Amino acid sequence: MSEVTTILLVDDDRSVLKAWKRVLQLAGYSVETAGDGATAMAVARQIQPGLIITDRSMPGMNGIELCYRVRREPKLANTPLVLATAKPETVIGAPVWDDLWLKPVSVETMCGSIQRLLTLDAGC
């Protein structure tokens, strides 16, 4: 039996966290949540998730800054990152995240992206 992958969801909108957490749990993932970037970094250091999904727009540390900080942490640097945003982003230079979701995102898009990033045959 394979180990369950833990996904860290980061969003300041509690309704998004609740809905996405439920979808991912039903797909068989373990899910931790954080409401801001600073909390997300602390949780990520502690649990070393298999994947981090973060919202772009949050007070304090936004999702882009969180992605940069994760990439600078030796134990987290290779963690797949998904940036979710309500507005299409213009990015100067190469993005540090592995996938970009435009909100609202469908369950099919979420699951396909997660499976691709985790290279799993199961889940979602």
Side-chain angles (χ1 to χ4, degrees):
M1 184 166 164
S2 62
E3 188 176 318
V4 174
T5 299
T6 299
I7 296 175
L8 175 58
L9 289 177
V10 188
D11 201 309
D12 59 325
D13 184 334
R14 289 180 189 267
S15 64
V16 169
L17 286 178
K18 184 177 180 182
W20 288 10
K21 180 176 183 176
R22 184 75 178 134
V23 166
L24 295 174
Q25 286 177 326
L26 287 171
Y29 297 103
S30 172
V31 181
E32 295 293 329
T33 61
D36 60 74
T39 302
M41 280 304 300
V43 171
R45 286 182 185 117
Q46 181 181 4
I47 68 168
Q48 296 185 12
L51 174 75
I52 298 172
I53 302 169
T54 182
D55 184 37
R56 157 68 176 94
S57 299
M58 296 182 291
M61 184 192 312
N62 68 34
I64 293 173
E65 179 62 25
L66 174 61
C67 290
Y68 277 105
R69 290 190 186 194
V70 167
R71 291 291 185 237
R72 289 193 300 258
E73 288 275 331
K75 290 183 178 179
L76 299 172
N78 295 320
T79 305
L81 297 168
V82 175
L83 184 70
T85 183
K87 296 176 255 179
E89 298 295 316
T90 301
V91 178
I92 310 253
V96 296
W97 49 90
D98 300 294
D99 208 351
L100 179 69
W101 293 353
L102 187 58
K103 289 180 174 181
V105 62
S106 71
V107 171
E108 292 79 13
T109 297
M110 289 175 70
C111 290
S113 174
I114 291 167
Q115 285 178 351
R116 190 173 58 256
L117 292 171
L118 296 177
T119 61
L120 295 177
D121 294 324
C124 270

